[in-house]
Amino acid sequence: VLPGVCLAFILSGNKNPVLLLIGSFLTGWISITAIDYITGKSKIKEDTAIGIILSVFFGVGILLLTYIQHSGNAEQSGLDSFLFGKAASMVQSDVYVFGIVALLVIALTFLFYKEFTLISFDRAYAQVIGFPVKRIELALTSLTVLSIVVGIQAVGVVLMSAMLITPAAAARYWTDKLKVMIILAAVLAALSGISGAYVSYLNEDMPTGPWIVIIISMIAIGSFMFGPKKGIAAKWWKQRKHAQNILEENILKAFFQLGEKDQNFFLPRSLEDILAKRKMMVAKLMKGLRRLVKQGYLNKEADGKYILTEEGKYKGQRVTKIHRLWEMYLTQYVNIAPDHVHEDAENIEHILTPELEKKLEELLQYPKVDPHDSTIPYRDV
């Protein structure tokens, strides 16, 4: 949009906000159309096309801005604020113009929400059902450019890309619903705008635009870290819980298999017995045993040995059953050799849901033994 701002000023000779808006809209729209044309007519990828157009248009904009600075036009004062943003340079007429444009963008977004959503997520389906995809994309492109134009005087063309992307990226970590994400992104962007303006108000040496971007970036980093489902902390916690569950189920499976061997599932087992059946670190084993005792799957004897409870026996039995059923499935339906199925079964036994477990039993017609002739233990064992 920077060349459009400069061209509008060169042609009009003053900083009329309406003319500057029209100029920036036209060149912004041309740039996005050029990106679409390059990606559609050549083998150049979209990110490369964006880089080409961005650098060319920005270079032309800087060239025109330099020309204006040497033109001697007294009206040029404050024009460079469009580059990095300066909210204090806005006058009442600017606020009215940009406010009207912002309301127009919001109204059209809600009016064509269904159409914009459809072409964004399933363009081919929209074409099949007869939607005017090209016209809808043109409207979406125009609204994108208008959204950029609204913020250039406050934030600047350099930082507006951050305001276009960062609020939505931050909101995505808090919800899976598009409507909620849009509203949340708007709230986060507004919060950062108000906060950045307030920081600038408190200290005149603090520029508004960069502080707005710093604050929304801090919000985004917090979202990336602590988002309830997709955040780094949530993923770490989920992986930790999954690792704990795998450890516990492996221990119970070892108890059950020891019980199969001795034909008695409720004999006391020492650490040596468990480690002889399944190799693992002693510290990790002790940690898993403590959790299983706390959960009621094991009982600890006075001599330090452990005994399965009925619940523990059932859980160990289920893991063992799924393991052997999956080995049977891989050998019968995927034609994998019996000596190559153990590792895959070790992974699937911890994630197979009861519903899939039932379907697997029905598919295999309740086999009695696995490919290694080990008995498949059903609930009545």
Side-chain angles (χ1 to χ4, degrees):
V1 299
L2 185 60
V5 172
C6 296
L7 284 171
F9 178 80
I10 291 171
L11 293 174
S12 64
N14 60 71
K15 298 194 298 296
N16 185 309
V18 176
L19 295 177
L20 294 180
L21 189 150
I22 293 171
S24 57
F25 172 79
L26 289 174
T27 55
W29 189 85
I30 291 169
S31 68
I32 294 182
T33 305
I35 291 169
D36 290 340
Y37 181 83
I38 290 171
T39 54
K41 300 294 183 178
S42 70
K43 294 182 179 180
I44 296 175
K45 293 183 180 179
E46 187 175 21
D47 54 352
T48 308
I50 290 171
I52 293 169
I53 296 300
L54 184 67
S55 57
V56 169
F57 274 63
F58 187 69
V60 171
I62 295 295
L63 183 67
L64 293 174
L65 194 60
T66 305
Y67 169 78
I68 292 169
Q69 289 173 342
H70 290 86
S71 66
N73 189 336
E75 287 285 327
Q76 69 175 278
S77 176
L79 192 65
D80 58 346
S81 64
F82 283 90
L83 191 59
F84 297 107
K86 189 176 181 182
S89 67
M90 295 177 68
V91 296
Q92 192 172 31
S93 59
D94 296 334
V95 175
Y96 287 148
V97 171
F98 293 137
I100 291 169
V101 173
L103 290 173
L104 177 65
V105 170
I106 293 170
L108 290 174
T109 300
F110 278 97
L111 184 63
F112 295 102
Y113 172 80
K114 180 181 67 176
E115 289 80 3
F116 290 156
T117 302
L118 184 58
I119 67 164
S120 297
F121 290 96
D122 200 337
R123 189 179 187 277
Y125 177 68
Q127 287 179 316
V128 169
I129 62 176
F131 270 59
V133 173
K134 288 290 184 182
R135 277 183 283 176
I136 296 171
E137 285 181 339
L138 180 63
L140 185 57
T141 298
S142 301
L143 290 182
T144 303
V145 175
L146 280 175
S147 300
I148 296 170
V149 167
V150 167
I152 56 174
Q153 193 161 349
V155 184
V157 294
V158 175
L159 302 178
M160 196 56 207
S161 59
M163 291 305 298
L164 191 69
I165 297 168
T166 311
R172 181 68 182 90
Y173 277 77
W174 295 96
T175 181
D176 289 325
K177 297 181 179 179
L178 183 61
K179 287 183 180 179
V180 176
M181 176 184 158
I182 291 171
I183 295 170
L184 184 57
V187 170
L188 294 177
L191 179 64
S192 64
I194 294 168
S195 303
Y198 185 68
V199 171
S200 182
Y201 167 76
L202 292 177
N203 191 330
E204 62 181 15
D205 294 328
M206 296 292 182
T208 306
W211 265 106
I212 291 173
V213 175
I214 287 173
I215 290 169
I216 191 61
S217 298
M218 291 170 63
I219 293 172
I221 291 170
S223 301
F224 302 158
M225 290 295 298
F226 303 110
K229 290 184 179 181
K230 302 177 180 66
I232 294 171
K235 287 182 178 179
W236 173 82
W237 181 253
K238 186 177 180 180
Q239 289 170 353
R240 184 172 179 269
K241 295 293 289 182
H242 185 59
Q244 288 179 356
N245 182 62
I246 290 173
L247 174 64
E248 292 165 8
E249 288 187 347
N250 283 338
I251 293 171
L252 291 174
K253 186 172 71 170
F255 269 87
F256 184 83
Q257 290 173 345
L258 287 169
E260 283 184 316
K261 181 180 177 182
D262 297 333
Q263 296 185 342
N264 188 341
F265 294 101
F266 302 104
L267 288 176
R269 306 293 180 183
S270 65
L271 293 180
E272 291 75 17
D273 294 334
I274 303 167
L275 290 171
K277 185 63 183 175
R278 186 167 191 106
K279 300 295 182 185
M280 64 181 74
M281 294 176 62
V282 175
K284 188 179 288 188
L285 173 60
M286 291 299 299
K287 190 176 180 180
L289 289 170
R290 285 194 296 269
R291 284 199 302 266
L292 289 168
V293 170
K294 189 175 180 180
Q295 294 168 13
Y297 294 119
L298 294 176
N299 287 326
K300 187 176 181 180
E301 299 287 284
D303 59 359
K305 293 184 177 182
Y306 296 86
I307 299 178
L308 274 175
T309 63
E310 283 289 345
E311 288 185 4
K313 172 184 173 291
Y314 169 64
K315 190 167 184 178
Q317 172 188 342
R318 180 178 180 271
V319 177
T320 304
K321 181 186 72 172
I322 293 173
H323 182 104
R324 293 173 183 173
L325 282 171
W326 192 253
E327 288 186 335
M328 200 70 183
Y329 171 77
L330 291 178
T331 55
Q332 285 192 6
Y333 286 89
V334 193
N335 295 321
I336 299 177
D339 57 345
H340 284 71
V341 295
H342 177 76
E343 186 175 343
D344 193 66
E346 280 282 304
N347 295 324
I348 204 71
E349 68 188 24
H350 302 291
I351 61 174
L352 208 65
T353 63
E355 293 79 14
L356 290 174
E357 176 189 349
K358 185 177 179 182
K359 287 185 178 180
L360 190 60
E361 290 174 345
E362 293 171 351
L363 178 67
L364 297 171
Q365 298 181 345
Y366 300 90
K368 300 296 183 183
V369 293
D370 70 0
H372 310 289
D373 291 326
S374 297
T375 303
I376 297 177
Y378 294 95
R379 185 64 189 270
D380 58 349
V381 173

